[in-house]
Amino acid sequence: MATVQLTNVLRKGQVVAAGGWNAVFGNDHPLNLEIGIGGGEFILTLAQRFPRENFVGIDIAGHFLRKAAKKAMREGIGNIRFLTTDAKGLLYETVPHESLQAVYVNFPDPWPKRGHEKRRHFDEKFVRLVEDRLAPEGYLYLATDVEEYAELAYESLSQSEVLANAYSSPWLNERGWQGLETRYEEKWKEMGKTLFYLAFRKARGMKASRYDIAYTNFKPFDLGTLSLEEVRDRMREPVHIDGHYVVKPLGPKLVDGTVRVKVLLVEKGLALRDYLHGVVAPAPDDSTRLIFDVENTGDFVYTAAKERVLARYFDGIMVG
């Protein structure tokens, strides 16, 4: 059976390489984002209902996302794109200042266990990003079945000087949008479960972005005349750089005359995480020297800040 080519499923690097979302869609229609699409019922219905708007759906579960992408292609829904990625990384690295008409977060995992707080969406970092990326009069919507989560989200959003509650109460218990429910939402309504819906409007514009970003193209790093064994051994420990980044190589191994390694790059300010699948091998023009290159250039967005961090890291590798 032939494999379906999912042309509506992208990677962050592809969006940047294309020139941004307007270039991806081929128009400048209003842009909407759903974070955590689940089965895709909500965003697919929205995209069909508003054909002159663009929609981006993301999820960390690629299996469900691909099912939604296949359905969009079968039904000819051309104003939607999908990515398997996290929300903060997508907002920071691919969404320009004040360019989103709406952000939808439907029934996110509440991460109730102690120590999991950093995985919840509605922390200060996420709210600041949404403030920056929403267009004036744009909306952030949240639906949840967990009252404690609704309370925490409301408290966090209410501290914003840019966003204003769109309701006369902290939240509503009915969405009010017919035909725009997720399958879990329909199930819980049938069970009589109480649901919570929040909406915050961007009431004040921002003259400048808090999160400007400079893109660049990845260039291999020259590691000099170190041996492969030396590189492998020196890459086994995480390195903290300027208090803002952590570079953590994961299991560097000697394989067929190369060092293969997965590198975790953590930006602490926004808690962003990137995984680079790297390979250290002799330079093609000088076999006495080693270079570090990456194999997943479409999976991450390369910025000037990441270039500086990696340059510092590999300078340290060379010094030992």
Side-chain angles (χ1 to χ4, degrees):
M1 185 174 178
T3 302
V4 177
Q5 182 71 24
L6 295 176
T7 56
N8 55 1
V9 177
L10 305 177
R11 297 181 294 180
K12 289 187 298 181
Q14 289 177 284
V15 176
V16 174
W21 289 110
N22 287 354
V24 166
F25 284 104
N27 59 59
D28 59 355
H29 295 169
L31 184 65
N32 304 272
L33 169 67
E34 185 185 8
I35 298 170
I37 67 168
E41 305 91 352
F42 184 86
I43 195 169
L44 290 170
T45 305
L46 268 181
Q48 289 175 309
R49 186 172 292 188
F50 301 102
R52 293 191 61 79
E53 297 183 13
N54 296 326
F55 295 86
V56 176
I58 67 171
D59 208 303
I60 58 173
H63 173 68
F64 293 110
L65 184 139
R66 287 189 293 273
K67 288 180 66 175
K70 289 178 183 178
K71 184 175 181 180
M73 291 189 67
R74 282 198 309 270
E75 299 184 8
I77 306 173
N79 59 330
I80 187 169
R81 299 293 186 272
F82 301 91
L83 296 93
T84 304
T85 188
D86 65 289
K88 288 176 184 172
L90 181 106
L91 285 167
Y92 176 61
E93 295 181 335
T94 76
V95 178
H97 176 59
E98 296 197 331
S99 65
L100 276 174
Q101 176 177 259
V103 176
Y104 302 91
V105 186
N106 288 312
F107 303 98
D109 190 327
W111 295 105
K113 294 182 179 180
R114 182 176 296 176
H116 285 177
E117 295 89 344
K118 63 183 180 181
R119 300 187 184 184
R120 298 172 186 166
H121 285 306
F122 288 86
D123 60 9
E124 182 182 357
K125 298 179 178 72
F126 176 75
V127 174
R128 297 290 88 80
L129 265 173
V130 170
E131 289 175 346
D132 194 278
R133 288 352 189 186
L134 272 182
E137 301 301 320
Y139 279 80
L140 169 66
Y141 298 97
L142 168 66
T144 179
D145 62 311
V146 181
E147 185 171 8
E148 181 186 4
Y149 195 93
E151 291 173 346
L152 291 172
Y154 177 75
E155 180 182 352
S156 182
L157 291 165
S158 296
Q159 294 173 11
S160 171
E161 297 179 356
V162 175
L163 305 176
N165 189 6
Y167 299 143
S168 58
S169 58
W171 52 71
L172 304 181
N173 295 118
E174 289 290 337
R175 189 190 288 276
W177 297 341
Q178 296 302 316
L180 275 170
E181 288 83 25
T182 71
R183 67 173 180 267
Y184 295 110
E185 192 171 358
E186 293 172 353
K187 177 181 176 181
W188 290 330
K189 282 185 176 180
E190 291 175 0
M191 295 169 58
K193 191 170 185 177
T194 301
L195 304 179
F196 306 89
Y197 301 96
L198 289 76
F200 275 72
R201 174 179 60 87
K202 185 166 179 175
R204 182 168 65 86
M206 304 168 67
K207 291 182 180 180
S209 173
R210 296 191 188 100
Y211 302 108
D212 287 329
I213 186 167
Y215 302 112
T216 188
N217 295 318
F218 184 88
K219 299 180 182 64
F221 288 91
D222 187 339
L223 302 185
T225 58
L226 292 172
S227 70
L228 288 168
E229 289 80 6
E230 287 175 315
V231 171
R232 178 200 58 194
D233 294 342
R234 294 180 186 186
M235 291 189 78
R236 284 178 171 163
E237 298 297 328
V239 175
H240 297 255
I241 297 178
D242 295 336
H244 299 294
Y245 281 88
V246 178
V247 182
K248 185 176 182 181
L250 305 174
K253 295 180 181 179
L254 268 172
V255 180
D256 298 329
T258 64
V259 173
R260 308 191 78 83
V261 60
K262 187 176 182 180
V263 180
L264 170 61
L265 182 63
V266 180
E267 192 276 325
K268 293 182 178 180
L270 289 171
L272 301 180
R273 300 166 69 88
D274 276 296
Y275 289 95
L276 285 66
H277 295 275
V279 57
V280 178
D285 58 345
D286 182 357
S287 61
T288 66
R289 305 182 71 82
L290 297 179
I291 61 169
F292 174 88
D293 208 347
V294 294
E295 298 179 323
N296 61 331
T297 53
D299 292 335
F300 71 99
V301 175
Y302 199 52
T303 66
K306 293 176 188 177
E307 183 177 54
R308 288 194 297 271
V309 168
L310 288 174
R312 287 276 303 277
Y313 172 73
F314 285 115
D315 282 347
I317 290 289
M318 292 172 66
V319 171

